[in-house]
Amino acid sequence: MKSLIMIIVGCALINNVVLNQFLGICSFLGVSRQMKASLSLGVAVIFVMTLASAVCSLLYTYVLAPLSLDYMKTIVFILVIACLVQVVEMFLKRKSPAIYRALGIYLPLITTNCAVLGVALTNVQDGFGFAESVLAGFGTAVGYTLAIVLLASIRSRIREEDIPAPLRGAPIVLISAALMSIAFMGFANLSI
Amino acid sequence: MNKYIERLQNGIFKENPTFVLMLGMCPTLAVSTRAINGIGMGLSTLAVLILSNMVISLLRRIIPGQVRLPAYIVIVASLVTLTELTLQAYMPALYESLGLYIPLIVVNCIILGRAEAYANKHPVGLSVMDGVGMGLGFTLALTVVSMLRELIGNGTLFGARVLPASIEPMAIFVQPPGAFLILAVIIAVMNALGIKSRQRHLVEEGCNGGCAACGRACDQRKGTDEK
């Protein structure tokens, strides 16, 4: 039990997917302009990443590993993720239009979010079982959401400041991300 | 012949994928801790990019428009797997240090972006040259970023000590925050010098338009906004 909680904490805080491993930078910098969009994307990522980790873990354990097709995992995982996103999109459209309106537009973005593929591959690399993979996927996605929501709230304040002209736009956002990354380094010594 | 040279210049300078188009930020930030890693990542991406542009250009009349993105992803993923196995066999040290970021070349926006923006509309020769140009531009950018980080953060270049021992290296620059800082400084200098880049596009519009799938998301979002 303790080790399972540690997986979530480790993935969300200690090895934060954006600030420590640099996965999903595109959407982290792009979508964080608006708070509401960041939250919606975060929820969508939590949903897809947990699901993708589960499906990829099952596929790897019961199909790829027994057939010793280990080298096919990149191709299989990216296809699974792309299909999964499509299925989730169609399902939401049909069953829950309200959620679809809120999240739908961010779902295609997630296909190319390298964090999802990254987690699926890391789970295999670390030899995680099913439960561990799902928790790692969930924890990583929570870390992603935390990072993007924090950056969005920093950016909403930056907009009101008088920033030197060359630093406007990407540089000041990157500097904010650097400071967040320094803050997250403090979690490195965290242990339960 | 000029058209081919123009493609090279376009990739390396005019539309440098990292500094001007702002594509492929993840590997740029992640592996640039040491110059040798930067070059290794750049060259791996170059290889995949040349091959993917070639294959996609050859198949451009065969792949139906509606399923082109999944088709591209399968092609790119196969090429990345080839590259990964080659590195594992012949350059195990580099393979170890790049680790997870080799399979992640699949989702590098530069590759899908070039397939969508160039290779599926142009003949093979030009597409290959486009891949060479873009790949070299990416390699150059990664090398610059990683040399800066290694020099400031570790006092070395390609593993050889450059700064005298009396200067204490700032270790933060080889750690994750340093990647964000270096990139921020580079873009700020480019802004100050008046070099145009799409960085505003990157942080203001939510996706970098060159990338195929992100572009699709953008279109959809525009669609829903209008409704």
Side-chain angles (χ1 to χ4, degrees):
Chain A
M1 190 63 213
K2 203 171 158 191
S3 70
L4 294 183
I5 294 173
M6 201 54 212
I7 288 178
I8 296 191
V9 174
C11 288
L13 298 177
I14 302 170
N15 283 316
N16 187 282
V17 63
V18 186
L19 299 169
N20 200 325
Q21 304 192 56
F22 305 110
L23 300 177
I25 294 287
C26 282
S27 53
F28 176 66
L29 296 179
V31 180
S32 61
R33 190 165 61 110
Q34 291 163 326
M35 189 62 170
K36 203 170 147 255
S38 305
L39 260 177
S40 307
L41 179 67
V43 174
V45 166
I46 291 179
F47 193 56
V48 171
M49 208 182 260
T50 313
L51 209 58
S53 302
V55 174
C56 289
S57 164
L58 286 177
L59 255 181
Y60 185 79
T61 322
Y62 294 107
V63 180
L64 293 180
L67 297 173
S68 55
L69 286 174
D70 184 68
Y71 62 90
M72 288 286 286
K73 62 179 184 291
T74 313
I75 304 178
V76 172
F77 286 2
I78 187 79
L79 280 179
V80 165
I81 292 167
C83 296
L84 201 66
V85 172
Q86 284 287 325
V87 171
V88 168
E89 202 178 339
M90 289 191 301
F91 180 80
L92 285 181
K93 208 172 188 173
R94 193 67 66 76
K95 298 284 172 195
S96 143
I99 300 182
Y100 178 75
R101 269 198 300 280
L103 303 185
I105 47 172
Y106 299 106
L107 287 172
L109 261 181
I110 296 175
T111 317
T112 45
N113 188 329
C114 45
V116 182
L117 182 61
V119 172
L121 290 170
T122 320
N123 287 341
V124 169
Q125 222 168 46
D126 294 348
F128 279 177
F130 179 69
E132 290 159 318
S133 297
V134 174
L135 287 177
F138 176 73
T140 308
V142 168
Y144 176 86
T145 310
L146 188 66
I148 195 170
V149 167
L150 285 176
L151 185 66
S153 43
I154 294 175
R155 285 182 70 174
S156 69
R157 300 202 171 201
I158 286 178
R159 257 194 291 284
E160 276 145 42
E161 302 294 329
D162 183 22
I163 294 165
L167 289 180
R168 279 180 207 153
I172 192 71
V173 176
L174 287 167
I175 291 171
S176 313
L179 294 176
M180 282 170 66
S181 179
I182 292 175
F184 270 70
M185 279 171 73
F187 290 120
N189 295 323
L190 193 71
S191 59
I192 296 176
Chain B
M1 201 59 222
N2 271 343
K3 275 198 293 189
Y4 294 89
I5 305 287
E6 186 271 331
R7 273 293 102 197
L8 276 185
Q9 285 174 339
N10 182 60
I12 299 173
F13 302 107
K14 216 174 113 216
E15 290 194 347
N16 184 294
T18 310
F19 294 143
V20 180
L21 296 184
M22 296 282 151
L23 293 175
M25 285 294 119
C26 301
T28 309
L29 294 170
V31 301
S32 58
T33 49
R34 286 189 299 153
I36 194 74
N37 284 357
I39 291 190
M41 186 69 199
L43 292 180
S44 312
T45 311
L46 172 79
V48 175
L49 194 52
I50 294 174
L51 290 172
S52 77
N53 266 7
M54 188 173 82
V55 174
I56 288 166
S57 174
L58 282 172
L59 296 175
R60 71 185 186 280
R61 292 188 213 287
I62 300 170
I63 300 174
Q66 283 162 333
V67 293
R68 65 183 193 286
L69 287 179
Y72 296 165
I73 290 179
V74 175
I75 293 170
V76 176
S78 319
L79 295 170
V80 169
T81 306
L82 281 181
T83 312
E84 188 181 359
L85 292 174
T86 313
L87 280 180
Q88 195 174 7
Y90 296 106
M91 281 169 260
L94 187 64
Y95 175 79
E96 284 296 317
S97 57
L98 293 181
L100 181 66
Y101 295 96
I102 302 174
L104 287 180
I105 296 176
V106 180
V107 278
N108 189 328
C109 281
I110 298 173
I111 295 178
L112 269 185
R114 288 328 285 175
E116 180 76 0
Y118 199 84
N120 71 353
K121 304 187 193 81
H122 293 85
V124 180
L126 281 175
S127 297
V128 169
M129 284 314 271
D130 183 70
V132 175
M134 282 287 158
L136 284 179
F138 183 61
T139 310
L140 194 76
L142 260 181
T143 311
V144 170
V145 175
S146 53
M147 277 171 72
L148 279 173
R149 279 182 75 186
E150 188 180 337
L151 184 67
I152 304 175
N154 206 17
T156 58
L157 272 184
F158 296 99
R161 180 146 289 282
V162 178
L163 291 183
S166 56
I167 301 177
E168 182 82 18
M170 289 181 270
I172 193 86
F173 277 93
V174 286
Q175 286 164 335
F180 290 113
L181 275 179
I182 283 281
L183 195 64
V185 171
I186 291 175
I187 299 175
V189 169
M190 282 173 57
N191 281 349
L193 295 176
I195 302 172
K196 292 240 172 359
S197 76
R198 288 163 59 96
Q199 49 106 353
R200 272 175 205 279
H201 192 72
L202 171 74
V203 297
E204 298 301 332
E205 309 224 332
C207 43
N208 22 23
C211 162
C214 299
R216 197 161 66 97
C218 253
D219 292 342
Q220 289 195 351
R221 182 156 48 177
K222 273 179 203 143
T224 39
D225 281 351
E226 279 156 14
K227 277 171 210 161

